[in-house]
Amino acid sequence: QVQLVESGGGLVQPGGSLRLSCAASGTIFSIYAMGWYRQAPGKQRELVATITSGGNTNYKDSVKGRFTISRDNAKNTVYLQMNSLKPEDTAVYYCNADLKGSDYEYNLWGQGTQVTVSS
């Protein structure tokens, strides 16, 4: 079984930084793309950033220049470096992956990690 496990969330002051990590474990042959999504209370889940196996990245406009997504393919891990955090970044952040397991392809979600930006 393949799992995605997020870490790195927490409470930070405006202007501060956090780094989120998401590690995929299990029998994995390929991870085509990984990304981060977030959902604030009362709002729809939205894309934050994605990265493909080839290194192509995509960001929500409001986080461009502040957030950086990266991958460590050897560790099957994706990171989200978040700088200059704002209160509006407060949300539960979810890791997502499109991958190939032992015999088929599928999409997975992590359990989510809370990010709270507050003074």
Side-chain angles (χ1 to χ4, degrees):
Q1 296 286 341
V2 180
Q3 290 182 289
L4 301 179
V5 180
E6 300 114 326
S7 63
L11 175 64
V12 65
Q13 294 184 349
S17 298
L18 286 173
R19 187 180 71 177
L20 306 183
S21 299
C22 174
S25 63
T27 302
I28 302 168
F29 289 152
S30 299
I31 299 179
Y32 305 119
M34 300 185 78
W36 291 95
Y37 295 72
R38 68 187 184 189
Q39 187 168 22
K43 295 186 176 181
Q44 296 283 337
R45 187 173 299 186
E46 63 182 5
L47 181 148
V48 178
T50 59
I51 185 167
T52 68
S53 60
N56 293 325
T57 58
N58 185 43
Y59 295 92
K60 176 179 171 63
D61 286 345
S62 64
V63 310
K64 290 179 179 178
R66 300 189 296 121
F67 292 9
T68 302
I69 189 169
S70 61
R71 296 178 66 167
D72 185 337
N73 292 331
K75 297 181 179 180
N76 289 327
T77 300
V78 64
Y79 305 94
L80 185 67
Q81 179 66 47
M82 304 186 293
N83 299 325
S84 301
L85 283 161
K86 304 174 180 179
E88 52 262 43
D89 295 318
T90 296
V92 177
Y93 284 69
Y94 296 91
C95 181
N96 180 261
D98 293 320
L99 58 84
K100 182 178 180 180
S102 60
D103 56 3
Y104 63 96
E105 301 173 349
Y106 53 96
N107 180 269
L108 284 181
W109 290 93
Q111 80 284 355
T113 185
Q114 177 71 47
V115 172
T116 302
V117 185
S118 177
S119 60

